[in-house]
Amino acid sequence: MKVLDLITKKRDGQSLSAEEINYLVEEYNNEVIPDYQMSALLMSIYFQGLNNKETNALTAALAASGETLDFSSLGKIVVDKHSSGGVGDKVTLVLTPLVAAAGVPVAKISGRGLGFSGGTIDKLESIPGFSAELTTERFFELVTENNLAIMVQTARLTPAEGKLYALRDVTGTVENISLIAASIMSKKIAGGAGAILLDVKTGRGAFMQNRDEAFRLAEIMVRIGKDMDRRIVSVVTDMNQPLGYAVGNALEVKEALAVLRGEGPADVERLCLVLGGYMLALAGRVRNPEEGQTELARLLGNGSALQKFRQMVISQGGRPECLDDPSLLPQAAYSAEIHSPQGGYLREIDARKVGKVALLLGTGRAFKGDEIDPAAGLVLKHKVGDRVAKGDLLACINYNRESVREQACRELLNAFSFGEEPVEPFPLIHGVVPPFPS
Ligand code: URA
């Protein structure tokens, strides 16, 4: 096969066979195909798209490019969960121990954050001692023993996906829906879970800002999962305003602990119960998602989910004292308050702008490999729809670099917009693909 022929074939709108896609992925992974040729192919795909067969073939080839996990020997359906990324999204920290406490094994492979949306691993690593750098053998052991482990995505799993993503990032080819679907699903397929719950976010702070595009992505990923014999549901959820109140690594751990104690923000708790209900139903633990939600509300209320979180933290090296006393989590040297310049109803708290302020404070990475500040972040005091008076506290920022204070305060205030009339709060859940049960 000649790479140039395959590039021109795609450029001219013809489809590639599974064999051709396998060849391209394998040889790119082996560094036989150079970046300049793969870039041309990606740009051809960006404009010409991939059909269902091609998207499936790409997903399978990326998944097979490294180690793959197989939990079938457990004799139970193992579930995984993926969020397409958002601001203040600490759901995994609550949801995974909650579902595991219901007796359903959860094998969660997560990435570190990139850009303004945070990563679960960075949040967990703000707990002193916690490590997500597990070998696949240890990951398997912990899922078997505790029903729960969270591992960082390593270069041994889907290495071709990692290389391709890095190339897409610098060639303007990330925003193609088939490439996004294949990228996400290849990691889920390699992770070995039999059931997958996808939280596809839409809105200002999401990858897919457009609601219809988010549903399209959800549908493509569900189809790929089904074609690959996975039980799968996508829930399309709102990311116009941040989830909960806290944005920042240790601050989000603290808020997740409050949810696990039944004292957290209502939106985070509700989303965890809804997503968890689907996870229990997918695993066959309950007859329907509503029954799952009832069971999970019970496990949240009786402390079982918090207990499971504690077990996971201890098993992965974290200091459990931090869970009882969150003041032992990293704390920033400085803080500042932002007050409302006017009275009115909060019409918008723009998640994208809030995420960018969090990044400025040090919560995330602008580039892969950047250091993050586990203590930095911000805590909002309101949600969209709240009525505020002039001078009310809108948010607090926590930071270690004094130079960022003024810009962060100015830009955070800019994320709020006010109106005279009462505002309907945004819906948290936009829809489920496929409508359950399918
Ligand atoms: N997240 C992924 O994992 N891959 C993409 O292509 C986009 C978002």
Side-chain angles (χ1 to χ4, degrees):
M1 259 180 258
K2 278 175 71 186
V3 183
L4 181 59
D5 294 343
L6 302 182
I7 296 171
T8 51
K9 196 171 169 186
K10 184 64 352 206
R11 182 200 66 192
D12 297 340
Q14 295 173 52
S15 50
L16 299 172
S17 68
E19 201 192 352
E20 287 165 338
I21 289 174
N22 267 334
Y23 165 79
L24 288 162
V25 170
E26 249 181 67
E27 295 299 60
Y28 182 62
N29 197 32
N30 293 335
E31 294 172 15
V32 174
I33 298 178
D35 280 351
Y36 57 81
Q37 281 191 307
M38 193 45 101
S39 303
L41 179 74
L42 286 171
M43 195 55 85
S44 305
I45 292 175
Y46 181 89
F47 284 113
Q48 297 291 358
L50 293 175
N51 64 28
N52 291 353
K53 269 191 173 163
E54 291 175 300
T55 311
N56 282 6
L58 179 61
T59 308
L62 294 174
S65 67
E67 232 175 283
T68 52
L69 298 178
D70 179 4
F71 289 99
S72 55
S73 63
L74 240 64
K76 275 183 170 180
I77 302 275
V78 171
V79 294
D80 191 359
K81 173 255 170 188
H82 179 86
S83 159
S84 60
V87 179
D89 184 0
K90 68 278 297 170
V91 162
T92 295
L93 306 187
V94 177
L95 179 60
T96 56
L98 183 56
V99 169
V104 172
V106 181
K108 173 83 183 99
I109 299 175
S110 275
R112 293 181 201 280
L114 188 59
F116 64 84
S117 72
T120 296
I121 300 297
D122 298 323
K123 293 170 200 185
L124 284 168
E125 284 179 348
S126 73
I127 302 172
F130 187 94
S131 173
E133 309 225 336
L134 305 175
T135 60
T136 44
E137 292 75 20
R138 183 68 184 140
F139 184 58
F140 191 89
E141 256 170 43
L142 288 174
V143 174
T144 310
E145 285 164 17
N146 299 346
N147 274 346
L148 176 60
I150 301 188
M151 180 173 91
V152 67
Q153 171 83 34
T154 67
R156 285 160 64 190
L157 283 159
T158 59
E161 191 282 329
K163 290 179 192 170
L164 215 54
Y165 192 93
L167 190 62
R168 285 167 60 208
D169 210 22
V170 293
T171 53
T173 52
V174 169
E175 291 88 359
N176 172 278
I177 206 153
S178 304
L179 291 176
I180 296 173
S183 154
I184 294 175
M185 287 305 294
S186 66
K187 292 178 273 198
K188 298 294 105 185
I189 299 296
I196 301 162
L197 185 281
L198 301 169
D199 178 1
V200 179
K201 303 243 172 253
T202 184
R204 286 287 300 149
F207 212 81
M208 312 303 285
Q209 291 194 47
N210 178 289
R211 192 176 176 277
D212 292 343
E213 286 284 288
F215 273 96
R216 250 189 83 214
L217 176 64
E219 278 155 15
I220 295 173
M221 292 196 292
V222 164
R223 186 192 45 72
I224 296 172
K226 283 184 183 292
D227 287 349
M228 297 196 174
D229 290 330
R230 297 305 200 270
R231 301 179 182 196
I232 183 163
V233 166
S234 278
V235 184
V236 179
T237 70
D238 194 71
M239 187 32 72
N240 280 300
Q241 65 178 328
L243 198 55
Y245 295 102
V247 183
N249 298 294
L251 292 169
E252 291 191 44
V253 169
K254 193 171 160 197
E255 189 166 84
L257 285 167
V259 180
L260 287 165
R261 292 202 168 83
E263 298 158 1
D267 58 344
V268 182
E269 179 178 312
R270 175 151 172 259
L271 190 54
C272 291
L273 293 176
V274 170
L275 299 180
Y278 284 106
M279 288 167 84
L280 295 202
L282 283 172
R285 164 75 173 70
V286 291
R287 279 166 298 183
N288 54 58
E290 293 72 29
E291 194 180 319
Q293 283 187 44
T294 308
E295 173 62 358
L296 295 173
R298 189 181 72 78
L299 296 167
L300 202 55
N302 71 11
S304 303
L306 179 59
Q307 186 52 30
K308 186 51 81 178
F309 184 73
R310 179 183 300 276
Q311 185 188 46
M312 184 215 19
V313 167
I314 295 171
S315 310
Q316 297 195 215
R319 283 177 52 197
E321 316 84 86
C322 303
L323 311 187
D324 303 314
D325 179 2
S327 72
L328 297 174
L329 292 168
Q331 306 285 329
Y334 308 105
S335 66
E337 294 184 342
I338 287 118
H339 295 268
S340 184
Q342 65 183 93
Y345 292 93
L346 287 179
R347 276 207 335 229
E348 194 180 25
I349 306 173
D350 185 319
R352 184 163 291 256
K353 290 183 181 165
V354 174
K356 287 186 176 165
V357 172
L359 202 57
L360 175 69
L361 293 168
T363 61
R365 301 178 181 79
F367 300 101
K368 220 171 167 171
D370 280 0
E371 282 286 309
I372 61 156
D373 180 346
L378 57 97
V379 181
L380 303 167
K381 300 295 172 185
H382 291 282
K383 301 296 287 184
V384 168
D386 285 1
R387 184 169 169 71
V388 295
K390 184 174 176 181
D392 276 1
L393 184 60
L394 293 180
C396 293
I397 59 168
N398 296 1
Y399 55 101
N400 284 312
R401 276 186 299 132
E402 276 190 281
S403 57
V404 299
R405 176 196 165 111
E406 207 191 307
Q407 187 186 350
C409 288
R410 191 178 59 246
E411 289 180 6
L412 188 52
L413 187 57
N414 196 24
F416 289 84
S417 50
F418 304 82
E420 301 277 301
E421 301 298 321
V423 188
E424 274 297 304
F426 297 128
L428 188 59
I429 315 277
H430 290 276
V432 180
V433 181
F436 203 85
S438 61

